Amino acid sequence: MESSKKNNAARLLLSAAVAFCSSGVFAQGEDDIFLDEIIVTAQKKEESQQSVPMVLSVVTAEQFEAAGVKSFETMSQAIPGLVVNNTSGLILPFIRGVGAFNSGAATYSSVAVYVDGVYTARSNALGFSLDNIEQVEVLKGPQSTLYGRNATGGAITVTTATPSGVAAARATSP
């Protein structure tokens, strides 16, 4: 009986290690292997995803492109636990099954959506394409402490890409 528990524990540990190694978070240098650092703003400040004490999914523009995601409606193709419904032109996001079933233009969603730090209150304003984004963070679970009362299901933060001319000007300015 005890040996079967040890075998099950060993199998579980091995499968977790294989899943972690195959997740693509490793990068290989010349002589060593290290983890890629992912910088998130889930707690309204830049920090490593490793140190954020919440469940979140981070997807970059390259990952969206590889998954064929072109708009806010199709984000659920690349983010587990996210479902985006389109009801008569109103975009209704659900995170882990929590969202608003209301389909009026004047109703608030239970999932807060922020684009570059600005709250998008109405669900009819979410029908935008994702052709100029840097990354999308999906914070799963209640986020009302940092993101207000309309984040009982979670929060989605969209960070748009900085135009290349602006980025070059910032790099050369003193």
Side-chain angles (χ1 to χ4, degrees), residues 148-166:
R149 68 182 180 116
N150 294 326
T152 55
I156 301 172
T157 62
V158 178
T159 306
T160 58
T162 305
S164 59
V166 174

Side-chain angles (χ1 to χ4, degrees), residues 7-166:
N7 287 340
N8 288 340
R11 286 183 188 147
L12 180 64
L13 185 60
L14 180 62
S15 64
V18 168
F20 182 72
C21 290
S22 65
S23 65
V25 296
F26 279 108
Q28 191 168 1
E30 290 184 20
D31 296 330
D32 55 346
I33 296 176
F34 58 93
L35 287 172
D36 279 341
E37 184 176 29
I38 300 172
I39 303 298
V40 297
T41 57
Q43 297 187 88
K44 304 237 177 173
K45 59 183 177 180
E46 287 189 2
E47 58 190 328
S48 173
Q49 182 183 10
Q50 301 282 327
S51 63
V52 177
M54 61 181 67
V55 179
L56 70 135
S57 295
V58 181
V59 182
T60 63
E62 292 83 19
Q63 292 168 328
F64 271 150
E65 188 175 323
V69 175
K70 301 280 186 212
S71 66
F72 193 88
E73 292 176 61
T74 58
M75 278 196 328
S76 58
Q77 295 174 0
I79 301 172
L82 175 69
V83 175
V84 181
N85 293 329
N86 184 347
T87 306
S88 302
L90 302 175
I91 310 300
L92 305 173
F94 289 79
I95 298 176
R96 292 182 172 172
V98 179
F101 290 102
N102 310 14
S103 59
T107 60
Y108 292 101
S109 176
S110 297
V111 174
V113 178
Y114 287 81
V115 179
D116 288 335
V118 178
Y119 176 62
T120 306
R122 304 287 185 234
S123 60
N124 57 349
L126 299 178
F128 54 86
S129 65
L130 298 174
D131 56 353
N132 65 337
I133 63 151
E134 186 174 317
Q135 74 179 20
V136 174
E137 300 171 14
V138 177
L139 290 70
K140 300 174 181 179
Q143 303 296 326
S144 58
T145 303
L146 291 172
Y147 292 97
R149 68 182 180 116
N150 294 326
T152 55
I156 301 172
T157 62
V158 178
T159 306
T160 58
T162 305
S164 59
V166 174

